[in-house]
Amino acid sequence: MTRTIVESKTKTAIIGFDQPFCVIGERINPTGRKILNEELERGDFSRVEADALAQVAAGANILDINSGAVFSNKMAEDPRYADNNFVEPTLMKELVERVQAVTDCPLCIDSSVPGALENGLAAAEGRPLLNSVTGEEERLELVLPLVKKYNVPVVAISNDDTGISEDPDVRFAVAKKIVERAADFGIPAHDIVVDPLVMPIGAMGTAGLQVFTLVRRLREELGVNTTCGASNISFGLPNRHGINNAFLPMAMGAGMTSAIMNPVALPVGPTKIAEKRAEVAAAGIMLPEDMDDETFCTIFGLGSTKPRPGKEMEAIRAANFLTNNDEGGGAWIAFNRQPPKAGQEGRGREGRTGGRRRRA
């Protein structure tokens, strides 16, 4: 069985055909996150640290760290900040060190800048996953020597100098080329995790079927593990979680072994809570004056005021159980166990101390 080993200083994550699905948390990425980008420009890493902890708590096995920030304000002071080759190497090192200071979860070093990749690899403890190499000749020559030098696994993305093909046979051929070129560097197939590239189902009706077919071929013909940006499948559609929740177990059934995704259901903010409270009051519904926001959110189906595992994590854990990668269902049962209410810790059902009573 193909197994890809990713390690921190103290923990190991295994991506493999006979393993539970590996969740690679995507939240530490300033791309498209304006507030995070601004904080990083100011040297504020508190959100990065909080996101790292929240993703691990939600079930992430590996944390992806992307340094693709754009420091617009600093550009005005120093034109070097317009160059990612200047910004990302220093930022990546800082991100890796900050995350490692709060969690021992294995890491995935993610950048398009070779200097950032090397700085991340040098700062990371253990054996991180490198994200990524493509079939482009220049990229192969830059990244594969780093993979060999640091003896790490790498994500291989199925596009090349011609771009991203809509033909799944072409994407398979690119993946095969990367695996073969990696072998020339002495990098084994079990250290290649192929991303076959998920297209939006809203733009291409066959996108799901293509991925499932590709994943089967990659597993059966090349013997490699696979990953994807899971949310790409639902891009531009309503109820994206509903699409994602169906896609992930189906991809797992086809043989996909990991995904880069958000494992966290984000907390409900005060604005949404205030709007719902006003709506409830306008409907004439009387609530206890001392009802806290968390109870209110639970009753009215808003979610939670705290980060928690997303619905996609529920789908993944159920699929692990159904594919016999959760022996005895222990992880599924633990995932669905309700946390005790305040003051009820250490008690059994209905708050009785000592658990279930025996009949006399």
Side-chain angles (χ1 to χ4, degrees):
M1 285 291 185
T2 298
R3 291 184 174 182
T4 304
I5 307 298
V6 185
E7 297 175 318
S8 68
K9 189 175 181 179
T10 59
K11 285 190 175 179
T12 298
I14 303 175
I15 306 173
F17 302 159
D18 61 342
Q19 298 294 308
F21 193 74
C22 185
V23 174
I24 304 170
E26 69 179 7
R27 294 278 298 161
I28 304 173
N29 185 342
T31 305
R33 297 186 66 189
K34 183 179 178 181
I35 294 175
L36 176 60
N37 197 97
E38 291 173 349
E39 289 174 348
L40 292 177
E41 187 168 13
R42 297 195 306 267
D44 179 359
F45 293 86
S46 57
R47 191 179 301 270
V48 168
E49 293 165 351
D51 280 345
L53 293 171
Q55 290 182 101
V56 172
N61 308 108
I62 298 171
L63 295 178
D64 186 89
I65 299 182
N66 184 293
S67 56
V70 178
F71 291 166
S72 302
N73 293 328
K74 288 188 175 182
M75 285 181 200
E77 304 168 6
D78 185 340
R80 291 180 299 174
Y81 281 94
D83 184 2
N84 273 22
N85 290 288
F86 176 75
V87 174
E88 289 201 41
T90 301
L91 178 60
M92 178 63 83
K93 180 176 183 294
E94 182 77 8
L95 287 169
V96 169
E97 291 174 348
R98 293 280 185 158
V99 172
Q100 286 181 155
V102 296
T103 177
D104 59 354
C105 184
L107 303 181
C108 176
I109 310 300
D110 184 357
S111 176
S112 61
V113 175
L117 293 177
E118 180 141 32
N119 272 15
L121 289 170
E125 299 172 336
R127 190 175 195 253
L129 178 64
L130 194 66
N131 190 9
S132 57
V133 68
T134 67
E136 299 164 286
E137 286 301 322
E138 182 181 3
R139 191 72 178 172
L140 288 165
E141 293 299 322
L142 286 170
V143 176
L144 291 181
L146 286 177
V147 175
K148 179 62 177 178
K149 176 182 176 181
Y150 287 91
N151 185 29
V152 294
V154 64
V155 174
I157 301 177
S158 298
N159 69 281
D160 59 13
D161 301 273
T162 64
I164 301 173
S165 174
E166 292 187 0
D167 185 340
D169 290 333
V170 172
R171 299 210 298 278
F172 177 85
V174 173
K176 184 177 180 181
K177 170 188 173 181
I178 297 172
V179 172
E180 290 173 347
R181 289 291 293 278
D184 292 339
F185 283 84
I187 301 165
H190 65 249
D191 275 340
I192 309 293
V193 182
V194 174
D195 181 348
L197 292 169
V198 175
M199 305 294 191
I201 191 75
M204 181 188 295
T206 59
L209 293 173
Q210 281 191 6
V211 170
F212 305 148
T213 300
L214 262 172
V215 167
R216 289 189 188 97
R217 288 192 69 190
L218 290 164
R219 175 171 176 161
E220 293 168 3
E221 297 180 37
L222 299 184
V224 293
N225 282 306
T226 46
T227 194
C228 71
S231 64
N232 289 354
I233 193 71
S234 61
F235 182 78
L237 293 174
N239 188 14
R240 295 186 67 183
H241 293 294
I243 298 293
N244 298 343
N245 292 349
F247 169 74
L248 282 162
M250 292 177 75
M252 292 168 67
M256 187 169 282
T257 47
S258 70
I260 301 169
M261 55 178 281
N262 177 17
V264 182
L266 299 180
V268 183
T271 300
K272 189 171 183 179
I273 294 172
E275 290 174 351
K276 188 64 176 181
R277 282 187 180 273
E279 180 185 322
V280 169
I285 300 173
M286 302 295 292
L287 299 174
E289 292 183 2
D290 61 348
M291 179 179 286
D292 60 78
D293 285 346
E294 182 66 20
T295 302
F296 178 83
C297 288
T298 301
I299 291 173
F300 290 95
L302 294 182
S304 174
T305 59
K306 305 171 185 177
R308 68 195 193 286
K311 296 298 289 184
E312 287 88 344
M313 294 301 296
E314 181 177 84
I316 288 169
R317 291 179 187 275
N320 281 335
F321 193 6
L322 291 167
T323 55
N324 198 32
N325 283 318
D326 175 12
E327 187 175 354
W332 174 254
I333 293 167
F335 178 75
N336 286 280
R337 186 176 293 124
Q338 292 294 322
K341 296 180 180 179
Q344 300 296 318
E345 296 87 349
R347 294 170 177 260
R349 293 184 181 180
E350 300 176 2
R352 294 192 299 263
T353 302
R356 182 181 298 174
R357 289 180 178 174
R358 295 175 179 268
R359 291 187 176 182

